[in-house]
């Protein structure tokens, strides 16, 4: 519940003055009373924590964008703390949910579209400042592997609960896709 409240606070702080107040308060109200959000807030899973991280990230990213817009050239020495904050939040999000690595790609695409190529370097460097040491510490202390490769290995198995059945081939993936689609259509008709 605490992370849900933190998420709502940073949602408000992130978009205050950026969008019309009517829209902001409507979104806040819908989010605050949504049964799905309240259900996640009451569970011990990390959805509420991840949602809070997302809104904290947006808040600090908007602050960084505002400081970058103030002048044509902003030295990294001036706002290195903001870049490290963005890197830390990106790292925490990817550590909480693996899919959050797409945020890094999305931000790179954003800077490419904005033609702010040097900021891509700052962003990736800020992320790697946290990712590399923590990953090395995990490997040294707990002897863990790469979190993405282990999940990828599970996705390649024919049966994730029985590794003895072996790994799937390309034809098997197409067949599984077709079977799942047919099952969805069958269930939809019932």
């Amino acid at each position: 519940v605490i992370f849900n409240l933190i998420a709502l606070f940073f949602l408000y702080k992130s978009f205050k003055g950026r969008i019309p107040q009517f829209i902001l308060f409507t979104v806040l109200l819908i989010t605050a009373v949504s049964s799905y959000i309240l259900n996640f807030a009451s569970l011990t899973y990390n959805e509420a924590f991840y949602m809070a991280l997302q809104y904290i990230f947006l808040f600090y990213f908007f602050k960084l964008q505002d400081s970058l817009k103030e002048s044509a050239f902003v030295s990294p020495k001036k706002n290195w703390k903001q870049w490290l904050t963005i890197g830390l939040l990106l790292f925490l999000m990817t550590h909480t949910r693996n899919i959050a690595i797409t945020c890094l790609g999305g931000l790179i695409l954003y800077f490419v579209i904005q033609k702010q190529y040097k900021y891509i370097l700052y962003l990736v460097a800020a992320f790697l400042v946290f990712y590399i040491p923590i990953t090395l510490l995990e490997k040294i202390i707990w002897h863990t592997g790469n979190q993405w490769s282990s999940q990828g290995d599970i996705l390649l198995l024919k049966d994730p609960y029985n590794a003895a059945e072996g790994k799937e081939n390309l034809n098997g993936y197409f067949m599984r896709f077709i079977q799942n689609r047919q099952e969805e259509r069958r269930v939809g008709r019932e």
Side-chain angles (χ1 to χ4, degrees), residues 27-71:
V27 169
L28 281 171
L29 178 67
I30 291 170
T31 305
V33 299
S34 168
S35 62
Y36 292 111
I37 301 294
L38 293 173
N39 183 40
F40 285 135
S42 67
L43 298 175
T44 57
Y45 303 126
N46 62 3
E47 281 85 357
F49 177 69
Y50 181 69
M51 188 172 67
L53 280 177
Q54 286 177 315
Y55 292 137
I56 293 168
F57 172 81
L58 280 176
F59 174 74
Y60 283 104
F61 184 73
F62 288 159
K63 281 181 68 172
L64 176 65
Q65 284 300 102
D66 292 342
S67 71
L68 294 176
K69 288 179 183 176
E70 287 176 5
S71 63

Side-chain angles (χ1 to χ4, degrees), residues 29-183:
L29 178 67
I30 291 170
T31 305
V33 299
S34 168
S35 62
Y36 292 111
I37 301 294
L38 293 173
N39 183 40
F40 285 135
S42 67
L43 298 175
T44 57
Y45 303 126
N46 62 3
E47 281 85 357
F49 177 69
Y50 181 69
M51 188 172 67
L53 280 177
Q54 286 177 315
Y55 292 137
I56 293 168
F57 172 81
L58 280 176
F59 174 74
Y60 283 104
F61 184 73
F62 288 159
K63 281 181 68 172
L64 176 65
Q65 284 300 102
D66 292 342
S67 71
L68 294 176
K69 288 179 183 176
E70 287 176 5
S71 63
F73 176 76
V74 179
S75 169
K77 293 178 184 177
K78 180 183 176 200
N79 55 10
W80 64 273
K81 290 179 183 177
Q82 289 178 309
W83 282 108
L84 285 179
T85 303
I86 293 298
L88 174 64
L89 289 168
L90 266 175
F91 169 74
L92 290 174
M93 287 192 317
T94 58
H95 225 60
T96 305
R97 293 265 180 200
N98 291 340
I99 193 67
I101 195 69
T102 58
C103 294
L104 184 60
L107 289 171
I108 289 171
L109 182 64
Y110 170 78
F111 286 128
V112 166
I113 291 170
Q114 296 294 320
K115 297 180 181 166
Q116 298 173 326
Y117 304 110
K118 65 182 172 194
Y119 297 145
I120 296 170
L121 178 66
Y122 300 162
L123 175 70
V124 172
F127 174 74
L128 292 177
V129 160
F130 297 99
Y131 178 77
I132 291 173
I134 298 298
T135 303
L136 287 174
L137 280 174
E138 287 176 347
K139 286 182 188 244
I140 292 169
I141 296 173
W142 292 289
H143 308 289
T144 61
N146 185 339
Q147 65 184 2
W148 290 290
S149 67
S150 63
Q151 286 185 349
D153 288 341
I154 292 171
L155 290 174
L156 293 174
L157 294 174
K158 288 182 181 179
D159 182 0
Y161 302 106
N162 185 6
E165 288 188 22
K167 294 190 176 185
E168 193 70 82
N169 58 20
L170 187 60
N171 186 40
Y173 279 111
F174 285 125
M175 293 305 298
R176 189 185 306 176
F177 178 77
I178 291 168
Q179 290 169 349
N180 287 344
R181 186 67 184 137
Q182 289 172 346
E183 181 67 20

